[in-house]
Amino acid sequence: MSFSPELVGQVENLWTRYPEKKAALIPAMHLIQKERDGWFSNETIVDTAELFGVPDMHVRGIVGFYDMFHATPVGRHVVRLCKTLTCKLCGAGELIKHVSTKYGVKNGETTADGRFTFKLFECLGHCTTAPMMLVDEEKHESLDIEALDGVLEGLK
Amino acid sequence: MTRETRVMLEYADDPAQKTLEGYRENGGYQALEKALREMSPDQVTAEVETSGLRGRGGAGFPTGRKWRFVPKTDKPKYLAVNADESEPGTCKDRQIMERDPHQLIEGSLLSCYAFGAKTAYIYVRGEYPHSIKALEDAIDEARAANLLGDKILGTDFCCDVWVHPGAGAYICGEETALLTSLEGNRGYPRIRPPFPAVEGLWHCPTIVNNVETIACVTHIIKRGGEWFSKLGCEGSTGTRLFCVSGHVKRPGVYEFECGKFTLRELIEGFCGGTLSGRPLKGVMPGGSSMPVLRADELDVTFDIESVQKAGSSLGSGAIMVFDDSVGAVGAAVNIAEFYSHESCGQCTPCREGSDWVRRMLLQFAAQDARDGDLDLLMDVTDKMDGTTICALAEALVWPVQSFVRKFRSEFEAAVRESAVGTATQ
Amino acid sequence: MSTNGKTVNVTIDGKQVTVPAGTNIIEAARHVNTEVPHYCYHPRLSVVGNCRICLVEIEGWPKLQIGCNTNVSDGMTVFTASDKVREAREGVMELLLINHPLDCTICDQAGECKLQDYAVDHGTGLTRFAFDKQKKPKNVSWGDKVVFDAERCILCTRCVRFLDELCGTDEIGIDFRGEKVSLIVRDDGQLTSPYQMNIIDLCPVGALTSRDFRFKSRVWFMQFANTLCTGCARGCNVVAGAREERLLRMVPRFNAQVNDHWMCDEGRLNYTFVNDEDRLVAPRVNGKDVPYDDALARAAAILQKAKEGGGGAADIAVLGCASPFMTNEELFSFAGLLDALGVTERRFAIPMGEGDDMLLHPEKAPNARGARLFGFQDAPVDAERDWDVVVHFAARDGGGLPDDLNAKSRIVFSLQVDKNADVNFPLTTSFEKDGTVISAGDRLQRVSKALTFAPSHLTERVVLDRLRGLIEDGYQGTDTAALALARIAQEHAAFEGLTWTGIGLQGVSLQLAEAEVGA
């Protein structure tokens, strides 16, 4: 399967920024992941490798290295909840428990209705407004259980 | 008296500051004009040297001296701005990128001008979509206004600045891992020598500087190195951004001159003490990779050298505060989980050791440790210290060892009382 | 590395040594016969410094440094076994082993495993790791040649770098992060490089094993010979390993002038014919096994008759057909026999195949140069002519003679029974004898006996010499290949002054005129 012309155009534009095409791989993989339902199937890995002229296991190795790339299917949204020290100090532990009981998902799991994939992330850099989570690209800070439910229940 | 001195955050509360127009109204890009029209590249570097500016990413290396390491060569030179802000507790660079991005772009251009680079990449962690967007918008505006690209402001200086998103790996904040990642690879730190200033991106001289460091350059050129050097104190000149988080009444990102107050004054005074009113238990003064200070160790003046003498470090400027409801073992587990998750897996001691340490600490947390386990924990961490490619192993070892040393009784209490288990094995 | 001929003086464990500038500590230590332990470092691969076992102490430096990435400088004092170093090594050793399965009892690498060696030399012999070990994939097929065991892998990435940097095929990647890191290959699970088996030798542990050699033998039950691969004209230096007179494997042996540290897979796997069950083991006359004396007498009689029947050297209808698999010493003896008979028709044929710009040579035989040097021509045999006798050294493929060759008598040296032969002598392979060959680049190298073919066997050289003795009164052959070489050295200018020991394990360059050996 080939990528959309828009995506290829964006990637070609990225290539102009670097002396070597490969440098645009990670920025491009964000765009590719978005176009391919939020994860890297074997097919997407091979397509990406072909687009960049790198071995497919190089792309696979990048998917495996970076937390934001997914090697398995994800739900319609990706919820990333910070679990590192400050957020833990400020109540992230309760939020994690709550998500597990109320929505039935633990770290890395997707809700039965496919609404969201729940990922525990290491420090997301919003420590002064802890605890926080990213839902796709939107951030939600100073969370408590009520605020968290407000966000998650509002997801389509 | 603890109070803020705002330089980088001076206009941060003004939403218009994000725009080129707003930034220019507040004197933006004057430093660039001045440098390009009135100063030689060498003078820009000299000004930065005069300022006493030290890197704000954690290691505190003098910025001007780093730039001088760039060899005279025909090879292209690069600036890689480290915006992979990932040290737990740190959220300062985000303030600059999201609230006043042009000062970073201006600082990048000034730095490139100083050491002869024509391209700067701002490597922003992938988990910062808002920073990426704000920078990209600002770069577009700057390019449209000929502040970027060819013949900037009608001079012969040509320079481009690009945002490069990462994808979720703490290690890419390590300067050589950042370069490896930027080239399109798994973010593996590189062995040194060669140092990036000599051989970095695509084997060309590359300077890696933190966002805050580069933002400071803008203000140093605008107002003079002399002015900057008089802020703060010797060894910690200028102002610095600090992120105070955890159990305090008034968490936040603040801009201070160093050397003007003690850590206790900052936490108990400026930040209002603990949120719960419970007694303070400890503070990690420089991100989670630095040794913890106990509540009784906080009467230390807040500058690089004094905190170092107290056995810790200002690191990335992340001050994490916790009250006595927090167990030292639990905190150590959280830290070990972080670093073992983030170990790149390249070199033996870190790959194998960080996970072992994490598992040992979990055993303590489960009250399932045995006699000798505490000594073993200290010995294994000792063997990771100083034997690895990069400092990630030490970022695990130092805080963990400091928690054991400073709250030893809590770890000892976690050793299983009965010896039956060991006797029957 | 450019050193501009500069040297530096360093002290390593109290021993002073002068080495070229730009030498790293591991290599410098070799100069004083000290091994700094190392896994990831290899002199032909980029330096990555990931195993951390080569940490050494340098006077005046606060932290231990890795020997692989630290070049010695003038006046440097290095300690490779100080307390600090020992402690660090012990630490690295322990950490390397905590997740290692310790399945040496079923591991082919046992006996030549750096993990075993260094654990003994630098480990404590104890583990303090009280958890379950990491589970990773075992017995993973990487195609028909290499088998991967992720649990044994210490992630030194030598294999990754070899295929990327030296073969350009970049076929092994790394997946995951932290303690979960594992090697991966392309989606179809197949390595493709014609040099892929070198990664098995490069692997310092038992993570990469040879499908061909797996579970065949413990290495300490084997005997080894320093010899050559004879799969092509390159003459890659190898160590051939045999057990109970069966050849079990070849691995490359370092020779900077020939094959460096490597060999191709084609050559490496080109040995199984040695173990064929249907090898001809005793001489035969007219289809019956006979003692050597009888076979020699019969062959001599055939040759004598042809010699006497000929009307002079030009007319003698005897064809000498050599093979490029013969050693120089055999070719010399063969040429001597043909001289004694007055035979001028001397031929051989070179089996041709694929070459490349690394090691593979298109001539798929070790000694075409020798055959030319000793007067044999790689030209077609006159198939129209009626031959009285053909003396034929058959190559593995039968080699060199037209099927419809018209010959009254045939004296054949072959691996398998030749039904058309009047006298049929067993042919040995280069693994069953000593001798020399001239490899590509006119390099004279030794082949050495790795196994004994058959107890009563007479080598072809002895057979030829004795035949000559039966024809030429008073002719005495030589007892050993070394003595035969000494005789060659007296008669051939190109070999002047050369001796068996002088050639040594690495061979020597010959100065040959092109006319002598052909293009």
Side-chain angles (χ1 to χ4, degrees):
Chain A
M1 196 163 75
S2 54
F3 296 113
S4 69
E6 295 77 36
L7 183 125
V8 173
Q10 282 174 301
V11 172
E12 282 170 351
N13 184 33
L14 286 173
W15 284 340
T16 64
R17 301 179 180 183
Y18 308 94
E20 284 178 11
K21 271 187 185 179
K22 196 170 94 173
L25 188 54
I26 290 167
M29 281 171 70
H30 283 292
L31 305 172
I32 289 167
Q33 183 166 261
K34 214 172 275 179
E35 177 164 306
R36 294 286 177 91
D37 301 322
W39 70 292
F40 280 88
S41 63
N42 277 348
E43 191 192 3
T44 301
I45 285 172
V46 171
D47 291 345
T48 307
E50 269 175 24
L51 181 66
F52 273 81
V54 296
D56 55 0
M57 79 269 158
H58 183 80
V59 178
R60 188 181 306 280
I62 287 190
V63 173
F65 191 85
Y66 294 96
D67 288 338
M68 293 183 75
F69 295 134
H70 305 133
T72 49
V74 292
R76 290 191 293 282
H77 302 276
V78 176
V79 173
R80 301 186 168 101
L81 180 74
C82 177
K83 56 151 287 217
T84 314
L85 195 55
T86 302
C87 280
K88 268 285 175 66
L89 292 175
C90 298
E94 283 72 49
L95 298 180
I96 295 166
K97 259 183 237 153
H98 178 72
V99 170
S100 163
T101 33
K102 177 151 184 185
Y103 302 92
V105 282
K106 292 198 189 67
N107 183 22
E109 294 176 350
T110 303
T111 53
D113 58 4
R115 195 147 45 122
F116 67 88
T117 297
F118 181 62
K119 293 230 164 188
L120 291 178
F121 252 61
E122 295 294 356
C123 189
L124 288 168
H126 287 67
C127 319
T128 55
T129 49
M132 80 83 69
M133 67 176 175
L134 273 175
V135 177
D136 303 325
E137 298 195 344
E138 277 313 305
K139 54 184 171 186
H140 303 276
E141 299 164 77
S142 304
L143 289 170
D144 53 21
I145 287 175
E146 202 183 332
L148 178 109
D149 279 342
V151 176
L152 295 187
E153 280 165 10
L155 294 178
K156 295 259 159 59
Chain B
M1 174 67 189
T2 318
R3 59 183 166 79
E4 282 197 87
T5 307
R6 287 192 159 204
V7 174
M8 286 168 281
L9 297 184
E10 188 174 0
Y11 303 108
D13 296 334
D14 176 3
Q17 185 70 5
K18 281 172 72 166
T19 66
L20 180 58
E21 196 189 345
Y23 181 69
R24 280 195 136 159
E25 240 164 61
N26 293 325
Y29 289 108
Q30 283 174 5
L32 183 66
E33 286 257 11
K34 180 173 153 188
L36 296 189
R37 301 201 194 290
E38 297 164 23
M39 298 169 79
S40 69
D42 195 64
Q43 281 173 315
V44 173
T45 305
E47 206 64 33
V48 171
E49 284 176 321
T50 306
S51 75
L53 175 63
R54 291 169 70 171
R56 299 293 163 81
F61 194 83
T63 305
R65 201 194 306 167
K66 196 187 231 184
W67 292 359
R68 295 277 187 211
F69 290 149
V70 174
K72 302 226 175 329
T73 154
D74 293 337
K75 281 188 186 175
K77 299 168 192 80
Y78 296 99
L79 168 66
V81 180
N82 190 343
D84 190 62
E85 177 166 79
S86 307
E87 180 66 28
T90 316
C91 48
K92 64 186 179 69
D93 296 338
R94 202 163 58 73
Q95 313 300 327
I96 292 170
M97 293 188 281
E98 292 175 17
R99 295 159 80 186
D100 194 347
H102 281 285
Q103 66 177 319
L104 177 62
I105 296 165
E106 189 174 4
S108 301
L109 292 166
L110 289 165
S111 308
C112 285
Y113 179 69
F115 56 81
K118 290 194 167 58
T119 314
Y121 298 103
I122 306 177
Y123 186 106
V124 189
R125 66 181 304 202
E127 298 95 326
Y128 272 6
H130 302 82
S131 298
I132 292 168
K133 176 78 169 50
L135 277 173
E136 275 175 347
D137 289 349
I139 285 172
D140 287 347
E141 270 194 296
R143 184 168 290 113
N146 187 224
L147 292 159
L148 277 182
D150 284 345
K151 303 219 170 251
I152 294 171
L153 296 169
T155 67
D156 285 339
F157 181 56
C158 307
C159 189
D160 256 310
V161 179
W162 304 107
V163 174
H164 184 102
Y170 166 82
I171 193 62
C172 295
E174 196 278 342
E175 65 171 3
T176 58
L178 183 149
L179 301 178
T180 317
S181 174
L182 211 157
E183 289 175 0
N185 304 301
R186 297 158 57 81
Y188 278 175
R190 301 174 178 177
I191 43 174
R192 280 149 284 214
F195 289 88
V198 177
E199 205 179 310
L201 286 172
W202 304 289
H203 302 289
C204 296
T206 304
I207 289 292
V208 185
N209 278 143
N210 174 260
V211 168
E212 188 187 336
T213 315
I214 295 294
C216 284
V217 171
T218 305
H219 300 283
I220 288 165
I221 300 307
K222 192 164 150 191
R223 298 165 79 169
E226 184 82 14
W227 160 81
F228 191 88
S229 72
K230 290 194 173 126
L231 295 173
C233 63
E234 206 191 328
S236 298
T237 61
T239 56
R240 275 192 74 154
L241 301 183
F242 291 97
C243 326
V244 188
S245 68
H247 293 159
V248 286
K249 278 211 181 72
R250 281 185 292 277
V253 179
Y254 304 110
E255 186 168 1
F256 296 119
E257 291 178 64
C258 288
K260 308 287 186 197
F261 51 87
T262 66
L263 201 44
R264 188 180 306 286
E265 284 163 356
L266 171 69
I267 291 160
E268 294 186 348
F270 188 85
C271 293
T274 60
L275 182 65
S276 58
R278 296 174 68 111
L280 191 63
K281 178 166 178 171
V283 175
M284 306 195 78
S288 70
S289 62
M290 295 300 160
V292 63
L293 297 175
R294 263 192 326 246
D296 59 346
E297 296 175 303
L298 302 182
D299 297 305
V300 49
T301 311
F302 207 55
D303 61 70
I304 294 179
E305 257 106 60
S306 305
V307 177
Q308 227 156 42
K309 267 182 217 146
S312 190
S313 164
L314 284 193
S316 60
I319 301 161
M320 287 182 285
V321 181
F322 51 95
D323 65 27
D324 71 348
S325 67
V326 175
V329 176
V333 166
N334 189 281
I335 289 167
E337 279 179 341
F338 177 86
Y339 291 103
S340 67
H341 178 80
E342 298 299 342
S343 168
C344 77
Q346 188 184 193
C347 72
T348 309
C350 181
R351 178 184 65 238
E352 305 293 334
S354 56
D355 188 53
W356 189 5
V357 169
R358 179 187 68 86
R359 290 163 83 171
M360 279 194 275
L361 284 167
L362 281 172
Q363 223 169 17
F364 279 95
Q367 305 278 307
D368 193 27
R370 293 158 199 216
D371 275 345
D373 279 0
L374 203 49
D375 293 337
L376 177 60
L377 176 68
M378 293 305 266
D379 190 58
V380 171
T381 45
D382 270 345
K383 286 185 168 145
M384 294 167 66
D385 192 349
T387 59
T388 51
I389 293 175
C390 80
L392 189 135
E394 279 131 49
L396 165 68
V397 166
W398 294 355
V400 166
Q401 290 196 340
S402 75
F403 270 99
V404 174
R405 289 199 181 103
K406 296 190 177 177
F407 304 100
R408 193 174 178 96
S409 60
E410 290 181 48
F411 286 84
E412 282 168 348
V415 174
R416 219 164 36 173
E417 284 185 10
S418 159
V420 175
T422 33
T424 53
Q425 272 194 344
Chain C
M1 186 180 320
S2 164
T3 61
N4 303 324
K6 277 187 212 151
T7 58
V8 294
N9 298 307
V10 289
T11 309
I12 297 173
D13 297 337
K15 291 174 223 161
Q16 290 205 343
V17 66
T18 304
V19 297
T23 305
N24 71 23
I25 290 175
I26 293 180
E27 297 296 341
R30 292 191 212 268
H31 289 261
V32 292
N33 288 325
T34 294
E35 192 201 20
V36 178
H38 57 274
Y39 293 109
C40 65
Y41 170 74
H42 188 282
R44 292 296 182 267
L45 302 174
S46 63
V47 174
V48 290
N50 64 30
C51 77
R52 316 306 288 180
I53 195 82
C54 72
L55 287 164
V56 294
E57 189 173 353
I58 303 168
E59 197 172 83
W61 297 38
K63 283 171 83 171
L64 299 180
Q65 299 294 320
I66 44 175
C68 60
N69 195 47
T70 311
N71 288 349
V72 291
S73 56
D74 206 32
M76 187 183 264
T77 301
V78 180
F79 303 98
T80 75
S82 64
D83 288 349
K84 218 169 141 186
V85 171
R86 274 182 224 274
E87 204 176 297
R89 249 179 225 166
E90 256 176 44
V92 174
M93 219 37 248
E94 180 176 35
L95 289 165
L96 277 169
L97 291 172
I98 60 172
N99 281 306
H100 187 83
L102 300 175
D103 54 351
C104 308
T105 47
I106 54 159
C107 178
D108 280 288
Q109 192 80 359
E112 47 188 12
C113 173
K114 288 287 176 197
L115 217 42
Q116 286 184 329
D117 294 352
Y118 293 163
V120 171
D121 292 346
H122 310 291
T124 59
L126 298 167
T127 182
R128 302 176 291 174
F129 184 73
F131 301 94
D132 290 338
K133 288 169 187 275
Q134 280 273 332
K135 291 276 178 289
K136 287 183 183 176
K138 291 180 85 72
N139 194 10
V140 181
S141 171
W142 277 0
D144 54 358
K145 295 173 185 164
V146 180
V147 181
F148 172 58
D149 184 317
E151 290 184 348
R152 293 178 191 158
C153 175
I154 59 166
L155 282 319
C156 71
T157 70
R158 277 179 167 197
C159 55
V160 178
R161 285 174 283 147
F162 175 77
L163 289 175
D164 181 16
E165 295 166 11
L166 295 179
C167 298
T169 51
D170 197 2
E171 323 186 50
I172 305 178
I174 307 168
D175 203 359
F176 308 115
R177 207 166 74 191
E179 83 285 357
K180 294 185 187 66
V181 164
S182 184
L183 301 182
I184 48 168
V185 295
R186 280 178 224 277
D187 229 11
D188 62 6
Q190 298 279 330
L191 295 182
T192 62
S193 168
Y195 292 87
Q196 61 181 270
M197 293 183 82
N198 288 292
I199 65 177
I200 298 162
D201 315 322
L202 278 171
C203 182
V205 301
L208 298 177
T209 49
S210 156
R211 196 180 287 290
D212 180 58
F213 180 67
R214 255 165 93 83
F215 306 132
K216 284 217 183 127
S217 175
R218 284 308 195 187
V219 288
W220 55 84
F221 292 133
M222 292 164 66
Q223 72 233 24
F224 297 98
N226 293 313
T227 184
L228 304 179
C229 170
T230 56
C232 78
R234 185 70 54 204
C236 289
N237 290 207
V238 301
V239 177
R243 180 175 176 185
E244 290 167 4
E245 311 311 340
R246 291 176 68 79
L247 191 57
L248 296 183
R249 73 168 188 192
M250 272 190 279
V251 293
R253 175 166 59 86
F254 176 70
N255 187 330
Q257 305 299 318
V258 180
N259 55 309
D260 213 47
H261 297 270
W262 325 115
M263 73 184 298
C264 72
D265 299 348
E266 180 183 299
R268 186 191 297 256
L269 296 172
N270 185 0
Y271 72 89
T272 49
F273 62 93
V274 176
N275 303 329
D276 280 348
E277 296 295 332
D278 61 348
R279 290 274 300 275
L280 174 61
V281 290
R284 290 158 72 89
V285 171
N286 297 330
K288 289 200 185 82
D289 288 1
V290 296
Y292 266 100
D293 284 345
D294 294 3
L296 284 165
R298 177 75 189 119
I302 290 171
L303 291 169
Q304 195 70 39
K305 191 177 162 209
K307 183 186 177 191
E308 282 156 11
D315 292 334
I316 184 167
V318 175
L319 171 64
C321 188
S323 128
F325 290 91
M326 294 167 77
T327 64
N328 292 323
E329 293 69 23
E330 289 166 344
L331 288 159
F332 174 75
S333 289
F334 192 20
L337 173 66
L338 296 176
D339 287 346
L341 291 165
V343 174
T344 54
E345 293 293 329
R346 303 175 184 194
R347 296 285 188 274
F348 77 106
I350 311 172
M352 298 299 287
E354 297 283 313
D356 66 11
D357 54 4
M358 290 178 73
L359 294 174
L360 276 165
H361 197 284
E363 292 176 12
K364 300 301 173 190
N367 200 24
R369 280 153 193 74
R372 287 193 201 99
L373 183 72
F374 289 98
F376 297 87
Q377 289 176 290
D378 52 336
V381 170
D382 185 354
E384 304 296 305
R385 190 167 169 184
D386 288 332
W387 298 98
D388 287 334
V389 187
V390 174
V391 184
H392 182 206
F393 280 79
R396 270 169 63 204
D397 59 357
L401 288 182
D403 291 341
D404 57 351
L405 190 77
N406 188 6
K408 288 194 194 89
S409 304
R410 293 167 187 263
I411 299 168
V412 181
F413 294 77
S414 59
L415 290 167
Q416 273 84 18
V417 170
D418 184 333
K419 293 203 176 75
N420 296 324
D422 297 271
V423 184
N424 196 181
F425 289 104
L427 185 72
T428 50
T429 70
S430 60
F431 300 99
E432 294 153 328
K433 62 195 168 202
D434 295 336
T436 63
V437 297
I438 306 172
S439 307
D442 297 340
R443 191 167 186 85
L444 184 67
Q445 305 196 90
R446 295 189 338 204
V447 295
S448 291
K449 187 171 159 177
L451 58 141
T452 301
F453 170 52
S456 61
H457 176 70
L458 294 184
T459 66
E460 295 90 305
R461 190 177 49 75
V462 172
V463 170
L464 290 164
D465 285 349
R466 284 178 57 179
L467 268 178
R468 185 174 169 185
L470 292 172
I471 287 159
E472 179 185 333
D473 273 350
Y475 180 78
Q476 286 274 326
T478 52
D479 284 343
T480 66
L483 292 171
L485 178 71
R487 202 173 276 183
I488 295 172
Q490 286 170 355
E491 294 187 19
H492 281 262
F495 283 67
E496 196 183 334
L498 289 176
T499 62
W500 181 257
T501 45
I503 294 167
L505 292 173
Q506 301 270 300
V508 294
S509 275
L510 293 181
Q511 300 301 319
L512 297 179
E514 199 165 281
E516 284 183 293
V517 286

